[in-house]
Amino acid sequence: MPSSIERIQRLQKLIWVLIYLGLFALIIGVVIRGAAPVAGPLLIVTGLIAAVAGVVLIYVRSRMEVEKSPP
């Protein structure tokens, strides 16, 4: 079982991947919205969901406690 520090590090990586890829998808969706009437809005919604999920995970991370190892 991974330690709490390893879980937190994995969670932090996931947070930033969700935020950055979500914002990237959002921007691409806005750019191609006129040329691709289905794919553009789909990317916008998907990007927004991913970015919001990343922000929610920041809150979850702030509530996690780190287990201290004995000296």
Side-chain angles (χ1 to χ4, degrees):
M1 184 161 146
S3 70
S4 67
I5 293 174
E6 291 171 349
R7 279 183 284 177
I8 289 172
Q9 288 174 341
R10 264 192 257 137
L11 181 62
Q12 288 175 333
K13 289 176 187 175
L14 176 63
I15 288 168
W16 293 112
V17 166
L18 284 172
I19 290 174
Y20 283 121
L21 286 181
L23 292 177
F24 181 73
L26 177 96
I27 291 168
I28 296 298
V30 168
V31 169
I32 68 167
R33 182 177 41 183
V38 174
L42 183 64
L43 277 172
I44 291 171
V45 170
T46 304
L48 274 174
I49 290 171
V52 168
V55 171
V56 168
L57 285 177
I58 289 175
Y59 175 76
V60 170
R61 164 61 187 101
S62 73
R63 296 294 175 203
M64 292 176 72
E65 292 183 16
V66 178
E67 296 172 5
K68 304 204 180 194
S69 59

